[in-house]
């Protein structure tokens, strides 16, 4: 039995990746939950919104790289991120003006808006593939590791190594900053309060002199920022491929629903719940078990519950369980 | 002040408001009565911009306000309350009131980050005003309670309080007394009278409680089947044959009609 090595292995393969992935999901789910709370529909185009913001960021990253600009050990993409956010904001405001505004004026039912967002999704999807192509793009540069396996082994003298990728560190730090800024904004500023008021009771908000168009506009701007940050962090951590971002829609929606649609706190909790479940169910526990259990009990097989190919099934199952037993989600958002 | 000119509102084949015309004098407390389904609330919704009329015009001091959205009307001084009290349930009563005057400087993204001082000053003034309003309504002890947790009658008071956060010119109260006990109803009535006298508010009140109407309203307008039936003092209205038939009713008359 060697609990220390077991823990290091666990951290390296489960805890750290899951925390990074959870942060990315949480940021994505925050965007979904804000749209649901304020504009009152499930935005299926969210995954492709993330892809679009990331694509703009990648294009700017390449531009900066060609100019020789860099941030040293930190990826150049962070420098390009504000431009990606601006691009994404422009796209979302444009779609709102030409598409959603019409349906809002008709007072269309949420189910109609959901289908509309499906159409928007296909268009954004096509747009991204048209501009950057359907292939994998890597745009992460700078230092690859904060702590690499070798330095960790040298430092601690342990048998197992622990690696923290720069992108993972950046993901967690950025997510904390963004979430803190968002909560400060929603709870402390007048604009945030208007948004909460509008989300709470639309009719009353209008009769309190709150301008709905401004609330809607600011919501889209915030969603654009959240989506782009989430997309870029995911792209830095893994890689950018339009289809992957489309697929991310499922775990992101699962996160938002598990946490309770319309509840920002729930979106974060949901993001981490989904991420940890997904990573833990698809991880091969052989090595950890080998360290943690007495030799006679150590497993012969991989001790992997589900092949990584099926990782999306985990989101599905959690989604089903939550919808069956607690449809309002963990933090009692709106019933779905 | 407000002139409603031949308003029609159709929902499919159903004519909820069918050619209603009326005018509201500045400084008056006008009562709007009529049987359920007479189109009172629909007419309110049309005037307050929640619904667009099928045809007809609404003017306010000569200006055409037909179909303007509620938040624009709000800034022109036209406010309304709801039949079933609305509130921002997750905010405290004080915060509910502080939400009210729209177009605050804290509402632009620029000021959120760079105009902190101005927002702080504005919030302080608003807070003082909200406390003053709560005191006026004798519910200052509820200031820090979540609005979702106070009683139905108190929510009605809070609704009235919302209208006091700005210098309203005209306030439309939709069944302010529904589901409210006598004592609280008197408090509300007193508040309405004081606002009318001290601050020169104009009120239009939908109400079914005849005592309440008699106490505060003059003139009274009776609607039925989407049309204005009669207008006058409560005594005149009570004596009006058509009104009795359509709304106030006498058991005998109804029976005779059925028989005929």
């Amino acid at each position: 039995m060697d609990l220390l090595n077991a823990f290091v292995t666990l951290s390296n393969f489960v805890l750290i990746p899951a925390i990074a992935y959870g942060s990315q999901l949480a940021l994505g789910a925050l965007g979904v939950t804000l749209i649901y709370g304020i504009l009152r529909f499930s935005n299926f185009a969210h995954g492709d919104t993330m892809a679009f913001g990331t694509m703009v960021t990648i294009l700017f990253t390449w531009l900066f790289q060609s100019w020789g600009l860099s941030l040293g050990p930190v990826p150049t993409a962070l420098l390009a991120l504000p431009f990606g956010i601006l691009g994404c904001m422009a796209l979302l405001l444009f779609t709102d003006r030409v598409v959603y505004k019409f349906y809002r004026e008709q007072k269309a039912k949420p189910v109609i808006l959901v289908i509309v967002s499906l159409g928007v999704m296909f268009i954004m999807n096509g747009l991204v593939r048209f501009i950057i192509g359907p292939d994998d793009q890597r745009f992460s540069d700078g230092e690859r590791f904060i702590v690499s396996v070798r330095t960790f082994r040298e430092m601690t003298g342990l048998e197992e190594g622990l690696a923290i990728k720069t992108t993972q560190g950046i993901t967690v730090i950025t997510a904390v900053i963004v979430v803190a800024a968002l909560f400060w904004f929603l709870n402390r500023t007048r604009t945030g309060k208007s948004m909460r008021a509008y989300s709470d009771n639309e009719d009353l908000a209008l009769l309190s002199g709150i301008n709905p168009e401004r609330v809607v506009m600011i919501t889209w701007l915030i969603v654009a920022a959240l989506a782009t940050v989430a997309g870029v962090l995911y792209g830095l951590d893994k890689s950018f491929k339009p289809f992957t971002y489309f697929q991310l829609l499922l775990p992101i929606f699962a996160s938002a629903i598990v946490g309770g649609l319309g509840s920002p706190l729930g979106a974060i909790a949901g993001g981490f719940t989904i991420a940890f479940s997904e990573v833990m169910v698809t991880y091969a526990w052989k090595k950890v078990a080998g360290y943690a259990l007495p030799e006679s009990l150590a497993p012969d097989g991989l001790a992997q519950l589900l092949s990584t190919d099926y990782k999306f099934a985990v989101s599905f199952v959690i989604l089903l369980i939550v919808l069956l037993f607690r449809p309002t989600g963990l933090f009692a958002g709106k019933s779905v | 002040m407000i002139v409603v000119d031949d308003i029609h509102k159709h929902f499919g084949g159903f004519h909820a408001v069918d050619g209603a015309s009326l005018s509201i004098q500045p400084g008056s407390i006008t009562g709007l009565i009529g049987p359920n389904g007479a189109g009172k609330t629909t007419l309110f919704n049309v005037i307050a911009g929640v619904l667009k009329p099928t045809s007809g015009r609404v003017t306010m001091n000569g200006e055409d306000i037909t179909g303007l959205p509620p938040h624009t009307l709000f800034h022109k001084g036209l406010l309304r309350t709801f039949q079933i009290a609305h509130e921002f349930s997750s905010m405290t009563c004080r915060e509910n009131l502080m939400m009210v005057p729209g177009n605050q400087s804290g509402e632009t993204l620029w000021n959120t980050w760079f105009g902190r001082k101005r927002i702080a000053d504005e919030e302080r003034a608003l807070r003082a005003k909200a406390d003053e309003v709560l005191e006026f309504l004798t519910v200052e002890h509820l200031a820090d309670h979540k609005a979702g947790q106070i009683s139905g009658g108190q929510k009605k008071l809070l609704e009235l309080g919302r209208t006091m956060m700005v210098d309203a010119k005209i306030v439309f109260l939709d069944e302010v007394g529904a589901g409210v006990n006598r004592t609280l109803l008197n408090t509300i009535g007193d508040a309405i009278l004081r606002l009318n006298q001290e601050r020169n508010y104009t009120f239009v009140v939908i109400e079914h409680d005849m005592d309440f109407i008699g106490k505060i309203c003059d003139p009274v307008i009776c609607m039925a089947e989407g049309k204005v039936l009669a207008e006058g003092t409560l005594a005149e209205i009570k004596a009006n044959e058509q009104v009795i038939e359509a709304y106030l009713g006498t058991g005998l008359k109804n029976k005779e009609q059925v028989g005929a």
Side-chain angles (χ1 to χ4, degrees), chain A residues 89 105 107 181-182 184-215 217-218 221-222, chain B residues 48 50 70-72 74-75 78-82 85-91 95-96 98-109 112-113 116 119 123 126 159 162:
Chain A
M89 283 174 172
E105 277 165 7
K107 297 205 191 309
L182 180 70
W184 171 79
F185 181 82
L186 286 179
N187 289 317
R188 289 272 168 266
T189 69
R190 168 71 198 190
T191 317
K193 281 182 189 161
S194 302
M195 286 170 67
R196 276 165 57 214
Y198 188 81
S199 159
D200 193 344
N201 192 327
E202 188 181 345
D203 292 332
L204 183 57
L206 295 186
L207 291 167
S208 302
I210 292 169
N211 183 348
E213 289 303 313
R214 184 188 278 162
V215 169
M217 185 187 85
I218 290 173
L221 293 181
I222 293 175
Chain B
V50 180
H71 66 98
T72 313
F74 173 90
H75 291 295
L78 189 153
L79 279 67
R80 69 162 295 188
T81 67
F82 292 96
H86 283 31
E87 75 287 329
F88 301 126
S89 48
S90 62
M91 297 186 187
E95 281 178 317
N96 261 269
M98 286 172 66
M99 277 320 296
V100 169
N103 281 351
Q104 294 176 22
S105 51
E107 268 174 56
T108 61
L109 277 180
T112 298
W113 300 96
R116 311 284 306 149
I119 296 170
E123 291 255 307
L126 268 179
E159 288 239 311
R162 274 193 311 114

Side-chain angles (χ1 to χ4, degrees), chain A residues 86-103:
Chain A
L86 285 179
C88 194
M89 283 174 172
L91 177 80
L92 286 189
L93 289 186
F94 177 74
T95 22
D96 185 64
R97 190 59 45 85
V98 299
V99 183
Y100 294 119
K101 191 169 196 265
F102 172 80
Y103 290 96

Side-chain angles (χ1 to χ4, degrees), chain A residues 47-216:
Chain A
D48 289 288
T49 308
M50 281 166 61
F52 185 86
T54 314
M55 179 196 74
V56 178
T57 311
I58 292 176
L59 295 178
F60 272 98
T61 310
W62 288 343
L63 180 71
F64 291 156
Q65 283 169 342
S66 74
W67 288 350
L69 268 175
S70 94
L71 288 174
V74 181
T76 318
L78 287 191
L79 203 62
L81 183 60
F83 297 94
I85 292 176
L86 285 179
C88 194
M89 283 174 172
L91 177 80
L92 286 189
L93 289 186
F94 177 74
T95 22
D96 185 64
R97 190 59 45 85
V98 299
V99 183
Y100 294 119
K101 191 169 196 265
F102 172 80
Y103 290 96
R104 218 170 26 249
E105 277 165 7
Q106 308 287 310
K107 297 205 191 309
K109 293 198 185 73
V111 70
I112 294 176
L113 280 163
V114 168
I115 301 301
V116 170
S117 82
L118 207 62
V120 171
M121 177 189 90
F122 283 121
I123 291 177
M124 284 187 183
N125 207 319
L127 191 67
V128 171
R129 283 164 208 228
F130 182 75
I131 296 175
I132 205 166
D135 301 326
D136 241 337
Q137 314 284 350
R138 290 196 163 275
F139 60 106
S140 155
D141 54 6
E143 205 69 49
R144 238 175 97 64
F145 291 102
I146 298 175
V147 180
S148 74
V149 172
R150 192 189 300 156
T151 43
F152 182 84
R153 276 204 196 117
E154 280 165 7
M155 262 160 52
T156 57
L158 283 174
E159 201 172 320
E160 285 301 324
L162 176 77
I164 302 177
K165 285 198 279 183
T166 317
T167 53
Q168 290 169 334
I170 289 174
T171 296
V172 174
I173 293 169
T174 315
V176 169
I177 294 173
V178 168
V179 167
L182 180 70
F183 276 79
W184 171 79
F185 181 82
L186 286 179
N187 289 317
R188 289 272 168 266
T189 69
R190 168 71 198 190
T191 317
K193 281 182 189 161
S194 302
M195 286 170 67
R196 276 165 57 214
Y198 188 81
S199 159
D200 193 344
N201 192 327
E202 188 181 345
D203 292 332
L204 183 57
L206 295 186
L207 291 167
S208 302
I210 292 169
N211 183 348
E213 289 303 313
R214 184 188 278 162
V215 169
V216 168

Side-chain angles (χ1 to χ4, degrees), chain A residues 270-325:
Chain A
F272 284 103
T273 310
I274 297 286
F276 270 88
S277 321
E278 217 175 77
V279 173
M280 283 164 78
V281 171
T282 55
Y283 176 62
W285 291 87
K286 181 178 193 327
K287 212 169 180 185
V288 176
Y291 280 119
L293 298 173
E295 212 158 307
S296 55
L297 285 175
D300 294 329
L302 282 173
Q304 185 180 21
L305 290 173
L306 209 61
S307 150
T308 40
D309 294 339
Y310 293 112
K311 65 177 178 187
F312 287 114
V314 181
S315 308
F316 260 126
V317 171
I318 296 177
L319 194 56
L320 276 179
I321 293 172
V322 168
L323 287 179
L324 278 175
F325 295 106

Side-chain angles (χ1 to χ4, degrees), chain B residues 143-215:
Chain B
D144 293 316
H145 284 248
K146 287 259 157 70
Q149 292 163 354
I150 63 176
S151 80
Q154 288 164 338
K155 284 179 188 172
K156 294 266 179 182
L157 274 177
L158 192 63
E159 288 239 311
L160 199 59
R162 274 193 311 114
T163 68
M164 293 168 58
M165 287 299 290
V166 282
D167 292 319
K169 296 196 182 78
I170 179 158
V171 180
F172 289 79
L173 301 174
D174 196 349
E175 294 205 17
V176 70
V180 174
N181 72 44
R182 275 275 144 221
T183 336
L184 199 54
L185 189 58
N186 282 333
T187 316
I188 294 176
D190 290 342
I192 293 174
L193 281 173
R194 275 177 65 196
L195 283 173
N196 176 250
Q197 283 153 13
E198 291 168 20
R199 303 198 185 186
N200 202 28
Y201 277 29
T202 306
F203 281 99
V204 183
V205 185
I206 294 183
E207 191 46 72
H208 287 295
D209 186 318
M210 281 301 144
D211 296 335
F212 185 71
I213 293 271
K215 189 178 149 198

Side-chain angles (χ1 to χ4, degrees), chain A residues 210-238:
Chain A
I210 292 169
N211 183 348
E213 289 303 313
R214 184 188 278 162
V215 169
V216 168
M217 185 187 85
I218 290 173
T219 307
W220 283 119
L221 293 181
I222 293 175
V223 166
L226 286 170
T228 310
V229 171
V232 168
L233 291 178
Y234 186 85
L236 279 175
D237 197 16
K238 314 266 171 25

